[in-house]
Amino acid sequence: ANTFELYAAVSFGPVTAKYSHSTTALFGNAGSKNSGYFDLTANFDLGNGITLSPHVGHQTLKHLAAGSYTDYSLTLAKDFSGLVLSGAVVGTDADKTFNASPANGNFLGKTTLVVGLKKTF
């Protein structure tokens, strides 16, 4: 699905607030033009190459209340001289029926742990 969005962000210290506004149907959902997503994210340097990043966001899906949800994550990352190991708990309060996979019906918004490894060059 093609979606066109405008967004603006403001940062103050370690905190960033961002708003995204769809000017077309959001993710192919008919009638969802003018939907919005607000998120608040922070990055706290804990020292020794460790960063803690909490996040909370809310998607409002115009004319489709079942498609609106709040998402959250808490990420802890450690930088080993350009090699960053991270772990994040990510979840939503998304509607289980609206956010089911068309392929198998599984809920796509389960809380989960995401582990990452990134190399900066």
Side-chain angles (χ1 to χ4, degrees):
N2 292 323
T3 299
F4 186 82
E5 292 182 296
L6 300 173
Y7 62 89
V10 176
S11 295
F12 184 77
V15 179
T16 299
K18 180 175 148 185
Y19 178 74
S20 302
H21 184 85
S22 69
T23 60
T24 60
L26 188 66
F27 309 131
N29 291 291
S32 62
K33 181 179 176 180
N34 294 319
S35 295
Y37 180 74
F38 176 76
D39 79 74
L40 192 60
T41 303
N43 291 296
F44 299 108
D45 183 349
L46 303 180
N48 297 320
I50 299 172
T51 305
L52 180 67
S53 302
H55 160 86
V56 66
H58 183 75
Q59 175 70 61
T60 301
L61 200 56
K62 191 96 170 187
H63 303 300
L64 291 166
S68 297
Y69 62 87
T70 298
D71 65 272
Y72 55 87
S73 66
L74 185 61
T75 304
L76 188 62
K78 168 70 174 155
D79 187 340
F80 297 94
S81 300
L83 185 64
V84 179
L85 177 64
S86 64
V89 175
V90 180
T92 73
D93 69 352
D95 180 90
K96 290 183 180 181
T97 303
F98 187 86
N99 293 286
S101 167
N104 58 22
N106 289 341
F107 177 51
L108 300 174
K110 290 189 246 180
T111 299
T112 191
L113 174 66
V114 178
V115 177
L117 186 61
K118 177 173 67 172
K119 173 66 177 156
T120 303
F121 296 95

